[in-house]
């Protein structure tokens, strides 16, 4: 397995004193002595971008037990100069502040609502430590030790898709109920389209160009290619930004970065998925649930999307009914209305993220910092058969439904 270069060596402050502080943080353990520890990268190339993460395997003693072991995941800000560090430093979004708020005030309460509704699977990992000074740091239980693994395939099948959208429905419903009960601080404007200056997003300009170049080569796509030539990144990005920040027909606290790499899975033989846990709540966004639904759809085959959306919504309503929510219930028609207004996001994701998310892991030989600064390396993802098949299926529908025209004619 290859790792991100900025995660090959942990910061010097990740030492025995820090690990002792972590283990004693919640008061369950006292008088801890660190006997030994081993630090390693926690994720593989391409698995995440907006942080650095390490796995610490710790051998320690307490007054009651002389030989104990624990594995933890340490998440903190990048320290190596590059795109990742610059993006987090310039962003208007407080990534770590948002995630600390979510784990401290939201996710545990969501878990209680879901268990009361009969949904007993783990929603998110347990946070065991957090600190804003001197370093912004969050420490989690190690899901790998609990039997979870990263998604073992490239494209979700029907069973995977059902589980993924069911989990989204569960989370959205629980957060929706918290908001109805008056929980404060949920009205956050995060997500990709609220990160700040477009200078931070120049990496998408080359990707849009690669997309246009590909479409030019596809027989029968001449009309789409002609219209794409009139679409700039600034134009489609602004159209998306307006859509996600407009009031939704009903609103939830979106995960904000709901894709396959921000989940871990459990199942037989490490391949047959039966359970999902969500991670990385750094850019949560208050708005229409269509945001998370369309975001995840970037790697869902178009012919599977309608059924997935209905399953998502049915789960959402089921949780609300079983949790004794007594307010007005949203309707599927409301969701469909918002999904229609979010079609510009489908175009944006198809032209950018989908090419990378469809890539076989064996193809990802460089860290994201390198990929986003070397356009020639990223261009290879636009020639994959899996990705090209997505373009051939989805782009004609976007063209027919007037999505390209809407972007061209937008202010």
């Amino acid at each position: 397995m290859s790792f991100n270069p900025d995660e090959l060596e942990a910061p010097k402050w990740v030492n025995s004193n820090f690990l002792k502080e972590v283990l004693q943080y919640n008061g369950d353990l006292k008088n801890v002595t660190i006997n030994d520890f081993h630090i390693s990268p926690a994720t593989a190339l391409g698995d995440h971008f907006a942080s650095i993460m390490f796995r610490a395997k710790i051998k320690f003693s307490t007054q009651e037990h002389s030989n104990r072991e624990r594995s933890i995941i340490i998440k903190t800000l990048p320290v190596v100069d590059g795109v990742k560090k610059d993006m987090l430093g310039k962003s208007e979004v407080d990534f770590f502040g948002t995630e600390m708020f979510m784990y401290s005030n939201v996710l545990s309460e969501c878990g209680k609502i879901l268990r009361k509704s009969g949904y007993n699977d783990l929603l998110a990992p347990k946070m065991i430590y957090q600190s804003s000074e001197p370093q912004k740091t969050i420490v989690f239980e190690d899901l790998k030790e609990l039997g979870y693994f990263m998604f073992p395939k490239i494209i979700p099948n029907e069973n995977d898709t059902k589980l993924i959208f069911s989990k989204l429905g569960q989370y959205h419903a629980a957060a929706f109920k918290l908001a109805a009960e008056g929980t404060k601080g949920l009205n956050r404007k995060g997500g990709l389209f609220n990160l700040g200056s477009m200078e931070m997003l120049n990496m998408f300009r080359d990707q849009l160009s690669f997309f246009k170049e590909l479409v030019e080569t596809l027989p029968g796509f001449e009309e789409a290619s002609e219209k794409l030539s009139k679409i700039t990144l600034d134009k489609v990005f602004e159209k998306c930004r307006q859509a996600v920040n407009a009031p939704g027909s009903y609103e939830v606290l979106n995960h904000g970065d709901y894709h396959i790499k921000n989940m871990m899975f459990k199942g037989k033989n490490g391949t047959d998925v039966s359970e999902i846990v969500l991670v990385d709540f750094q850019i949560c966004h208050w708005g229409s649930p269509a945001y998370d639904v369309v975001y995840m759809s970037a790697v869902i085959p178009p012919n599977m999307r309608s059924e997935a959306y209905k399953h998502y919504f049915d789960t959402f309503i089921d949780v609300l009914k079983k949790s004794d929510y007594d307010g007005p219930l949203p309707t599927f028609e409301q969701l469909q209305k918002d999904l229609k207004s979010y079609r510009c996001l489908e175009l944006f994701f198809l032209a950018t993220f989908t090419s990378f998310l469809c890539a076989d892991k064996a193809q990802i030989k460089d860290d994201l910092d390198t990929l986003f600064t070397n356009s020639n390396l990223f261009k290879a993802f636009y020639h994959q058969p899996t990705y090209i098949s997505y373009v051939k299926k989805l782009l004609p529908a976007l063209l027919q439904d007037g999505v390209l025209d809407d972007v061209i004619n937008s202010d």
Side-chain angles (χ1 to χ4, degrees), residues 96-224:
F96 273 77
T98 295
E99 191 152 35
M100 289 176 186
F101 169 80
M102 290 298 295
Y103 277 94
S104 299
N105 300 26
V106 178
L107 296 174
S108 59
E109 295 303 312
C110 285
K112 293 176 184 177
I113 291 171
L114 292 174
R115 288 190 292 274
K116 182 178 180 180
S117 305
Y119 293 84
N120 296 312
D121 290 348
L122 186 66
L123 175 63
K126 179 182 178 182
M127 182 182 71
I128 59 178
Y129 175 89
Q130 63 170 309
S131 176
S132 297
E133 296 292 341
Q135 295 87 21
K136 290 185 177 181
T137 313
I138 308 176
V139 179
F140 303 101
E141 62 182 344
D142 188 351
L143 290 173
K144 187 175 180 180
E145 296 292 306
L146 301 179
Y148 290 92
F149 47 80
M150 296 300 291
F151 193 61
K153 310 161 198 169
I154 302 173
I155 304 300
N157 61 29
E158 288 187 16
N159 180 66
D160 302 331
T161 300
K162 182 177 180 180
L163 290 170
I164 289 167
F165 279 87
S166 173
K167 198 72 175 187
L168 182 61
Q170 294 170 41
Y171 163 65
H172 277 183
F176 183 84
K177 187 172 190 294
L178 285 181
E181 293 172 346
T183 299
K184 304 297 184 184
L186 301 183
N187 192 14
R188 294 169 178 263
K189 291 299 181 182
L192 170 66
F193 302 100
N194 288 306
L195 291 181
S197 171
M198 276 296 295
E199 293 179 6
M200 298 164 48
L201 301 165
N202 281 334
M203 55 192 175
F204 294 127
R205 296 190 191 279
D206 286 339
Q207 295 171 27
L208 180 59
S209 295
F210 300 152
F211 177 65
K212 292 178 180 180
E213 291 172 12
L214 168 65
V215 176
E216 284 180 0
T217 69
L218 300 179
F221 281 73
E222 291 78 13
E223 182 182 359

Side-chain angles (χ1 to χ4, degrees), residues 230-280:
K230 302 176 183 179
I231 293 177
T232 63
L233 177 67
D234 300 79
K235 207 170 188 62
V236 68
F237 192 90
E238 179 60 20
K239 180 74 172 177
C240 292
R241 191 191 68 79
Q242 292 175 5
V244 300
N245 289 317
S249 297
Y250 63 99
E251 298 185 320
V252 302
L253 184 58
N254 287 274
H255 178 282
D257 198 15
Y258 197 73
H259 61 77
I260 208 76
K261 295 181 184 295
N262 280 336
M263 308 170 195
M264 291 189 72
F265 301 80
K266 186 181 285 188
K268 295 180 181 179
N269 306 316
T271 57
D272 298 326
V273 173
S274 59
E275 187 178 329
I276 300 174
V277 64
L278 307 183
V279 299
D280 202 353

Side-chain angles (χ1 to χ4, degrees), residues 63-83:
Q63 286 184 337
E64 293 77 19
H65 301 280
S66 58
N67 293 296
R68 300 189 64 177
E69 296 184 7
R70 179 171 293 185
S71 182
I72 60 174
I73 302 298
I74 302 165
K75 184 173 187 177
T76 189
L77 289 171
V79 294
V80 176
D81 290 338
V83 173

